PDB file of all heavy atoms in Angstrom:
ATOM      1  N   MET F   1     -13.300  -6.259   2.094  1.00  0.00           N
ATOM      2  CA  MET F   1     -12.696  -5.108   2.738  1.00  0.00           C
ATOM      3  C   MET F   1     -12.298  -4.080   1.653  1.00  0.00           C
ATOM      4  O   MET F   1     -12.431  -2.882   1.850  1.00  0.00           O
ATOM      5  CB  MET F   1     -11.510  -5.502   3.597  1.00  0.00           C
ATOM      6  CG  MET F   1     -10.819  -4.306   4.237  1.00  0.00           C
ATOM      7  SD  MET F   1     -11.861  -3.349   5.355  1.00  0.00           S
ATOM      8  CE  MET F   1     -11.445  -4.134   6.860  1.00  0.00           C
ATOM      9  N   GLU F   2     -11.828  -4.589   0.523  1.00  0.00           N
ATOM     10  CA  GLU F   2     -11.448  -3.722  -0.600  1.00  0.00           C
ATOM     11  C   GLU F   2     -12.634  -2.889  -1.054  1.00  0.00           C
ATOM     12  O   GLU F   2     -12.473  -1.680  -1.313  1.00  0.00           O
ATOM     13  CB  GLU F   2     -10.877  -4.544  -1.746  1.00  0.00           C
ATOM     14  CG  GLU F   2     -10.495  -3.677  -2.961  1.00  0.00           C
ATOM     15  CD  GLU F   2     -10.060  -4.538  -4.169  1.00  0.00           C
ATOM     16  OE1 GLU F   2      -9.852  -5.771  -4.011  1.00  0.00           O
ATOM     17  OE2 GLU F   2      -9.976  -3.943  -5.237  1.00  0.00           O
ATOM     18  N   ALA F   3     -13.816  -3.535  -1.141  1.00  0.00           N
ATOM     19  CA  ALA F   3     -15.027  -2.802  -1.497  1.00  0.00           C
ATOM     20  C   ALA F   3     -15.394  -1.740  -0.490  1.00  0.00           C
ATOM     21  O   ALA F   3     -15.816  -0.625  -0.856  1.00  0.00           O
ATOM     22  CB  ALA F   3     -16.191  -3.771  -1.736  1.00  0.00           C
ATOM     23  N   PHE F   4     -15.197  -2.060   0.760  1.00  0.00           N
ATOM     24  CA  PHE F   4     -15.487  -1.072   1.839  1.00  0.00           C
ATOM     25  C   PHE F   4     -14.566   0.084   1.744  1.00  0.00           C
ATOM     26  O   PHE F   4     -14.963   1.266   1.906  1.00  0.00           O
ATOM     27  CB  PHE F   4     -15.414  -1.754   3.236  1.00  0.00           C
ATOM     28  CG  PHE F   4     -16.749  -2.239   3.754  1.00  0.00           C
ATOM     29  CD1 PHE F   4     -17.723  -2.671   2.892  1.00  0.00           C
ATOM     30  CD2 PHE F   4     -16.995  -2.258   5.059  1.00  0.00           C
ATOM     31  CE1 PHE F   4     -18.913  -3.150   3.387  1.00  0.00           C
ATOM     32  CE2 PHE F   4     -18.171  -2.681   5.581  1.00  0.00           C
ATOM     33  CZ  PHE F   4     -19.187  -3.147   4.730  1.00  0.00           C
ATOM     34  N   ARG F   5     -13.240  -0.122   1.502  1.00  0.00           N
ATOM     35  CA  ARG F   5     -12.292   0.930   1.353  1.00  0.00           C
ATOM     36  C   ARG F   5     -12.699   1.820   0.149  1.00  0.00           C
ATOM     37  O   ARG F   5     -12.603   3.030   0.236  1.00  0.00           O
ATOM     38  CB  ARG F   5     -10.888   0.370   1.146  1.00  0.00           C
ATOM     39  CG  ARG F   5     -10.260  -0.125   2.442  1.00  0.00           C
ATOM     40  CD  ARG F   5      -8.752  -0.512   2.238  1.00  0.00           C
ATOM     41  NE  ARG F   5      -8.327  -1.242   3.327  1.00  0.00           N
ATOM     42  CZ  ARG F   5      -8.067  -2.550   3.328  1.00  0.00           C
ATOM     43  NH1 ARG F   5      -8.193  -3.289   2.222  1.00  0.00           N
ATOM     44  NH2 ARG F   5      -7.652  -3.141   4.454  1.00  0.00           N
ATOM     45  N   TYR F   6     -13.065   1.177  -0.917  1.00  0.00           N
ATOM     46  CA  TYR F   6     -13.469   1.921  -2.119  1.00  0.00           C
ATOM     47  C   TYR F   6     -14.677   2.800  -1.805  1.00  0.00           C
ATOM     48  O   TYR F   6     -14.662   4.004  -2.129  1.00  0.00           O
ATOM     49  CB  TYR F   6     -13.822   0.966  -3.283  1.00  0.00           C
ATOM     50  CG  TYR F   6     -14.364   1.707  -4.470  1.00  0.00           C
ATOM     51  CD1 TYR F   6     -13.497   2.229  -5.457  1.00  0.00           C
ATOM     52  CD2 TYR F   6     -15.707   1.804  -4.724  1.00  0.00           C
ATOM     53  CE1 TYR F   6     -14.013   2.884  -6.519  1.00  0.00           C
ATOM     54  CE2 TYR F   6     -16.227   2.420  -5.839  1.00  0.00           C
ATOM     55  CZ  TYR F   6     -15.364   3.014  -6.740  1.00  0.00           C
ATOM     56  OH  TYR F   6     -15.836   3.642  -7.846  1.00  0.00           O
ATOM     57  N   ARG F   7     -15.696   2.264  -1.173  1.00  0.00           N
ATOM     58  CA  ARG F   7     -16.969   3.011  -0.917  1.00  0.00           C
ATOM     59  C   ARG F   7     -16.658   4.147   0.063  1.00  0.00           C
ATOM     60  O   ARG F   7     -17.158   5.268  -0.154  1.00  0.00           O
ATOM     61  CB  ARG F   7     -17.987   2.087  -0.275  1.00  0.00           C
ATOM     62  CG  ARG F   7     -18.461   1.001  -1.225  1.00  0.00           C
ATOM     63  CD  ARG F   7     -19.409   0.022  -0.563  1.00  0.00           C
ATOM     64  NE  ARG F   7     -19.527  -1.155  -1.322  1.00  0.00           N
ATOM     65  CZ  ARG F   7     -20.186  -2.251  -0.876  1.00  0.00           C
ATOM     66  NH1 ARG F   7     -20.749  -2.262   0.287  1.00  0.00           N
ATOM     67  NH2 ARG F   7     -20.201  -3.341  -1.618  1.00  0.00           N
ATOM     68  N   LEU F   8     -15.866   3.915   1.123  1.00  0.00           N
ATOM     69  CA  LEU F   8     -15.596   5.003   2.054  1.00  0.00           C
ATOM     70  C   LEU F   8     -14.709   6.089   1.392  1.00  0.00           C
ATOM     71  O   LEU F   8     -14.896   7.280   1.568  1.00  0.00           O
ATOM     72  CB  LEU F   8     -14.851   4.434   3.310  1.00  0.00           C
ATOM     73  CG  LEU F   8     -14.478   5.483   4.323  1.00  0.00           C
ATOM     74  CD1 LEU F   8     -15.771   6.195   4.873  1.00  0.00           C
ATOM     75  CD2 LEU F   8     -13.717   4.899   5.494  1.00  0.00           C
ATOM     76  N   GLY F   9     -13.753   5.648   0.611  1.00  0.00           N
ATOM     77  CA  GLY F   9     -12.853   6.627  -0.086  1.00  0.00           C
ATOM     78  C   GLY F   9     -13.524   7.456  -1.132  1.00  0.00           C
ATOM     79  O   GLY F   9     -13.306   8.651  -1.230  1.00  0.00           O
ATOM     80  N   ARG F  10     -14.504   6.861  -1.859  1.00  0.00           N
ATOM     81  CA  ARG F  10     -15.179   7.603  -2.958  1.00  0.00           C
ATOM     82  C   ARG F  10     -16.418   8.321  -2.486  1.00  0.00           C
ATOM     83  O   ARG F  10     -16.808   9.321  -3.033  1.00  0.00           O
ATOM     84  CB  ARG F  10     -15.562   6.648  -4.097  1.00  0.00           C
ATOM     85  CG  ARG F  10     -14.434   5.953  -4.794  1.00  0.00           C
ATOM     86  CD  ARG F  10     -13.469   6.942  -5.517  1.00  0.00           C
ATOM     87  NE  ARG F  10     -12.562   6.295  -6.410  1.00  0.00           N
ATOM     88  CZ  ARG F  10     -11.477   5.693  -6.098  1.00  0.00           C
ATOM     89  NH1 ARG F  10     -11.153   5.485  -4.762  1.00  0.00           N
ATOM     90  NH2 ARG F  10     -10.667   5.188  -6.961  1.00  0.00           N
ATOM     91  N   TYR F  11     -17.116   7.737  -1.517  1.00  0.00           N
ATOM     92  CA  TYR F  11     -18.409   8.257  -1.055  1.00  0.00           C
ATOM     93  C   TYR F  11     -18.499   8.373   0.451  1.00  0.00           C
ATOM     94  O   TYR F  11     -19.366   7.798   1.078  1.00  0.00           O
ATOM     95  CB  TYR F  11     -19.528   7.338  -1.575  1.00  0.00           C
ATOM     96  CG  TYR F  11     -19.405   7.016  -3.059  1.00  0.00           C
ATOM     97  CD1 TYR F  11     -18.924   5.795  -3.489  1.00  0.00           C
ATOM     98  CD2 TYR F  11     -19.707   7.953  -4.010  1.00  0.00           C
ATOM     99  CE1 TYR F  11     -18.755   5.469  -4.843  1.00  0.00           C
ATOM    100  CE2 TYR F  11     -19.546   7.693  -5.384  1.00  0.00           C
ATOM    101  CZ  TYR F  11     -19.100   6.444  -5.758  1.00  0.00           C
ATOM    102  OH  TYR F  11     -18.913   6.192  -7.067  1.00  0.00           O
ATOM    103  N   PRO F  12     -17.621   9.147   1.025  1.00  0.00           N
ATOM    104  CA  PRO F  12     -17.588   9.222   2.539  1.00  0.00           C
ATOM    105  C   PRO F  12     -18.882   9.733   3.141  1.00  0.00           C
ATOM    106  O   PRO F  12     -19.216   9.398   4.245  1.00  0.00           O
ATOM    107  CB  PRO F  12     -16.418  10.125   2.843  1.00  0.00           C
ATOM    108  CG  PRO F  12     -16.237  10.927   1.587  1.00  0.00           C
ATOM    109  CD  PRO F  12     -16.635  10.050   0.468  1.00  0.00           C
ATOM    110  N   GLY F  13     -19.623  10.573   2.410  1.00  0.00           N
ATOM    111  CA  GLY F  13     -20.908  11.082   2.875  1.00  0.00           C
ATOM    112  C   GLY F  13     -22.022  10.126   2.785  1.00  0.00           C
ATOM    113  O   GLY F  13     -23.128  10.362   3.160  1.00  0.00           O
ATOM    114  N   TYR F  14     -21.710   8.913   2.299  1.00  0.00           N
ATOM    115  CA  TYR F  14     -22.673   7.851   2.150  1.00  0.00           C
ATOM    116  C   TYR F  14     -22.262   6.552   2.882  1.00  0.00           C
ATOM    117  O   TYR F  14     -22.711   5.452   2.494  1.00  0.00           O
ATOM    118  CB  TYR F  14     -22.949   7.564   0.674  1.00  0.00           C
ATOM    119  CG  TYR F  14     -23.610   8.676  -0.036  1.00  0.00           C
ATOM    120  CD1 TYR F  14     -22.851   9.651  -0.700  1.00  0.00           C
ATOM    121  CD2 TYR F  14     -24.974   8.796  -0.088  1.00  0.00           C
ATOM    122  CE1 TYR F  14     -23.462  10.703  -1.333  1.00  0.00           C
ATOM    123  CE2 TYR F  14     -25.615   9.842  -0.759  1.00  0.00           C
ATOM    124  CZ  TYR F  14     -24.835  10.765  -1.341  1.00  0.00           C
ATOM    125  OH  TYR F  14     -25.466  11.816  -2.077  1.00  0.00           O
ATOM    126  N   PHE F  15     -21.375   6.666   3.811  1.00  0.00           N
ATOM    127  CA  PHE F  15     -20.927   5.519   4.585  1.00  0.00           C
ATOM    128  C   PHE F  15     -21.160   5.849   6.048  1.00  0.00           C
ATOM    129  O   PHE F  15     -20.369   6.608   6.687  1.00  0.00           O
ATOM    130  CB  PHE F  15     -19.451   5.245   4.325  1.00  0.00           C
ATOM    131  CG  PHE F  15     -19.033   3.801   4.630  1.00  0.00           C
ATOM    132  CD1 PHE F  15     -18.404   3.070   3.655  1.00  0.00           C
ATOM    133  CD2 PHE F  15     -19.254   3.244   5.838  1.00  0.00           C
ATOM    134  CE1 PHE F  15     -18.001   1.780   3.910  1.00  0.00           C
ATOM    135  CE2 PHE F  15     -18.849   1.947   6.168  1.00  0.00           C
ATOM    136  CZ  PHE F  15     -18.212   1.214   5.144  1.00  0.00           C
ATOM    137  N   TRP F  16     -22.248   5.404   6.606  1.00  0.00           N
ATOM    138  CA  TRP F  16     -22.722   5.786   7.929  1.00  0.00           C
ATOM    139  C   TRP F  16     -22.684   4.619   8.898  1.00  0.00           C
ATOM    140  O   TRP F  16     -22.922   3.479   8.508  1.00  0.00           O
ATOM    141  CB  TRP F  16     -24.107   6.380   7.897  1.00  0.00           C
ATOM    142  CG  TRP F  16     -24.116   7.670   7.151  1.00  0.00           C
ATOM    143  CD1 TRP F  16     -24.387   7.856   5.790  1.00  0.00           C
ATOM    144  CD2 TRP F  16     -23.942   8.950   7.705  1.00  0.00           C
ATOM    145  NE1 TRP F  16     -24.353   9.207   5.542  1.00  0.00           N
ATOM    146  CE2 TRP F  16     -24.076   9.911   6.663  1.00  0.00           C
ATOM    147  CE3 TRP F  16     -23.657   9.440   8.980  1.00  0.00           C
ATOM    148  CZ2 TRP F  16     -23.881  11.278   6.852  1.00  0.00           C
ATOM    149  CZ3 TRP F  16     -23.514  10.790   9.182  1.00  0.00           C
ATOM    150  CH2 TRP F  16     -23.616  11.676   8.144  1.00  0.00           C
ATOM    151  N   GLY F  17     -22.459   4.898  10.170  1.00  0.00           N
ATOM    152  CA  GLY F  17     -22.553   3.931  11.189  1.00  0.00           C
ATOM    153  C   GLY F  17     -23.389   4.378  12.342  1.00  0.00           C
ATOM    154  O   GLY F  17     -23.554   5.594  12.567  1.00  0.00           O
ATOM    155  N   ALA F  18     -23.962   3.412  13.024  1.00  0.00           N
ATOM    156  CA  ALA F  18     -24.719   3.716  14.276  1.00  0.00           C
ATOM    157  C   ALA F  18     -23.964   3.074  15.445  1.00  0.00           C
ATOM    158  O   ALA F  18     -23.554   1.895  15.369  1.00  0.00           O
ATOM    159  CB  ALA F  18     -26.120   3.121  14.182  1.00  0.00           C
ATOM    160  N   TRP F  19     -23.798   3.840  16.488  1.00  0.00           N
ATOM    161  CA  TRP F  19     -22.972   3.424  17.629  1.00  0.00           C
ATOM    162  C   TRP F  19     -23.857   3.441  18.887  1.00  0.00           C
ATOM    163  O   TRP F  19     -24.598   4.372  19.111  1.00  0.00           O
ATOM    164  CB  TRP F  19     -21.748   4.313  17.847  1.00  0.00           C
ATOM    165  CG  TRP F  19     -20.875   4.371  16.676  1.00  0.00           C
ATOM    166  CD1 TRP F  19     -21.058   5.130  15.546  1.00  0.00           C
ATOM    167  CD2 TRP F  19     -19.683   3.634  16.429  1.00  0.00           C
ATOM    168  NE1 TRP F  19     -19.982   4.884  14.642  1.00  0.00           N
ATOM    169  CE2 TRP F  19     -19.158   4.019  15.214  1.00  0.00           C
ATOM    170  CE3 TRP F  19     -18.975   2.732  17.241  1.00  0.00           C
ATOM    171  CZ2 TRP F  19     -17.970   3.476  14.677  1.00  0.00           C
ATOM    172  CZ3 TRP F  19     -17.775   2.190  16.711  1.00  0.00           C
ATOM    173  CH2 TRP F  19     -17.323   2.587  15.487  1.00  0.00           C
ATOM    174  N   ILE F  20     -23.716   2.446  19.721  1.00  0.00           N
ATOM    175  CA  ILE F  20     -24.329   2.400  21.034  1.00  0.00           C
ATOM    176  C   ILE F  20     -23.289   2.040  22.057  1.00  0.00           C
ATOM    177  O   ILE F  20     -22.636   0.960  21.941  1.00  0.00           O
ATOM    178  CB  ILE F  20     -25.511   1.411  21.114  1.00  0.00           C
ATOM    179  CG1 ILE F  20     -26.662   1.785  20.186  1.00  0.00           C
ATOM    180  CG2 ILE F  20     -26.011   1.286  22.520  1.00  0.00           C
ATOM    181  CD1 ILE F  20     -27.763   0.826  20.137  1.00  0.00           C
ATOM    182  N   GLY F  21     -23.075   2.945  23.026  1.00  0.00           N
ATOM    183  CA  GLY F  21     -22.022   2.661  24.030  1.00  0.00           C
ATOM    184  C   GLY F  21     -20.687   2.373  23.484  1.00  0.00           C
ATOM    185  O   GLY F  21     -19.971   1.523  23.985  1.00  0.00           O
ATOM    186  N   GLY F  22     -20.288   3.066  22.402  1.00  0.00           N
ATOM    187  CA  GLY F  22     -18.975   2.877  21.782  1.00  0.00           C
ATOM    188  C   GLY F  22     -18.852   1.629  20.916  1.00  0.00           C
ATOM    189  O   GLY F  22     -17.764   1.284  20.442  1.00  0.00           O
ATOM    190  N   ARG F  23     -19.980   0.923  20.715  1.00  0.00           N
ATOM    191  CA  ARG F  23     -19.983  -0.289  19.869  1.00  0.00           C
ATOM    192  C   ARG F  23     -20.753  -0.020  18.614  1.00  0.00           C
ATOM    193  O   ARG F  23     -21.875   0.519  18.636  1.00  0.00           O
ATOM    194  CB  ARG F  23     -20.596  -1.417  20.674  1.00  0.00           C
ATOM    195  CG  ARG F  23     -20.579  -2.754  19.917  1.00  0.00           C
ATOM    196  CD  ARG F  23     -21.060  -3.937  20.770  1.00  0.00           C
ATOM    197  NE  ARG F  23     -22.480  -3.899  21.008  1.00  0.00           N
ATOM    198  CZ  ARG F  23     -23.396  -4.554  20.281  1.00  0.00           C
ATOM    199  NH1 ARG F  23     -23.024  -5.271  19.280  1.00  0.00           N
ATOM    200  NH2 ARG F  23     -24.645  -4.450  20.600  1.00  0.00           N
ATOM    201  N   LEU F  24     -20.136  -0.319  17.487  1.00  0.00           N
ATOM    202  CA  LEU F  24     -20.792  -0.202  16.173  1.00  0.00           C
ATOM    203  C   LEU F  24     -21.888  -1.246  16.056  1.00  0.00           C
ATOM    204  O   LEU F  24     -21.599  -2.445  16.132  1.00  0.00           O
ATOM    205  CB  LEU F  24     -19.778  -0.360  15.022  1.00  0.00           C
ATOM    206  CG  LEU F  24     -20.305  -0.191  13.618  1.00  0.00           C
ATOM    207  CD1 LEU F  24     -20.752   1.246  13.414  1.00  0.00           C
ATOM    208  CD2 LEU F  24     -19.237  -0.562  12.580  1.00  0.00           C
TER     209      LEU F  24
END
């Protein structure tokens, strides 16, 4: 989770999700 926080905090334009019906 720490690595995910780091990646989202430093590179938000490179942390993407795909959602279907409100589910990641």
Side-chain angles (χ1 to χ4, degrees):
M1 178 62 94
E2 178 184 349
F4 267 31
R5 283 189 193 106
Y6 175 84
R7 295 174 198 173
L8 181 62
R10 298 297 193 283
Y11 312 103
Y14 293 92
F15 202 126
W16 292 92
W19 302 81
I20 296 177
R23 184 172 72 94
L24 183 65

